[in-house]
Amino acid sequence: MAARNKARKRAFQILFEADQRGVSVQEVLADWIRHARTDDRQPPVNEYTMELVEGYASYAERVDELIATYAVGWTLDRMPVVDRNILRLSAYELVWVDTVPDPVVIDEAVQLAKEFSTDESPSFVNGMLARFKDLKPSLRRD
């Protein structure tokens, strides 16, 4: 598994855990880093994982606003928790990270949905992110 793929998966897991526990993503990230330093069985937290989690945290309110606006028929709190957090991570990376090609971000998000969510989730995630990609210039306000 490529390093960035693994980093995205871990970032998704951190966002998912924070959502489930009702705590900040920064708190969960700090827990993961602390565990990696104190337990040899825990893999270290990759630099790109930290960048994704911290980046999402800086834009969390805007990212959630975008998802809520464009998820036709779904409110953010009714959306499956896995899908919500895949979209959070991927929307941040798609809109605000310029070093990764848009198709790569979308493909990786669809793969996460295939691995962790329902049969309908990959097409839902793909559709949402394709919409964000098309609207990217207008979405990128801080």
Side-chain angles (χ1 to χ4, degrees), residues 9-85:
K9 185 181 282 189
R10 288 196 177 127
F12 157 69
Q13 290 168 327
I14 289 169
L15 268 62
F16 179 87
E17 181 178 333
D19 197 355
Q20 288 293 100
R21 290 176 45 200
V23 299
S24 74
V25 294
Q26 295 98 326
E27 183 177 331
V28 175
L29 177 60
D31 288 346
W32 278 49
I33 292 169
R34 189 172 39 261
H35 287 128
R37 288 183 182 147
T38 59
D39 185 346
D40 292 339
R41 297 170 295 176
Q42 297 296 321
V45 177
N46 177 300
E47 184 71 31
Y48 196 60
T49 298
M50 289 188 273
E51 287 177 32
L52 288 173
V53 172
E54 291 167 351
Y56 162 73
S58 342
Y59 291 95
E61 189 174 310
R62 177 71 176 135
V63 169
D64 282 359
E65 174 188 311
L66 293 174
I67 295 168
T69 299
Y70 293 101
V72 178
W74 288 97
T75 60
L76 202 58
D77 60 335
R78 279 195 56 241
M79 192 175 291
V81 69
V82 170
D83 297 357
R84 177 172 59 233
N85 286 290

Side-chain angles (χ1 to χ4, degrees), residues 1-2 4-16 48-49 52 81-91 93 103-126 129:
M1 183 181 309
R4 286 218 168 170
N5 178 284
K6 205 178 280 187
R8 280 184 195 90
K9 185 181 282 189
R10 288 196 177 127
F12 157 69
Q13 290 168 327
I14 289 169
L15 268 62
F16 179 87
Y48 196 60
T49 298
L52 288 173
V81 69
V82 170
D83 297 357
R84 177 172 59 233
N85 286 290
I86 290 171
L87 286 171
R88 284 174 168 164
L89 176 66
S90 303
E93 191 176 19
V104 172
V105 174
I106 294 169
D107 184 60
E108 294 276 337
V110 169
Q111 292 307 313
L112 285 171
K114 285 179 181 177
E115 184 174 350
F116 293 105
S117 200
T118 68
D119 290 342
E120 294 81 26
S121 294
S123 60
F124 173 67
V125 167
N126 186 59
L129 294 176

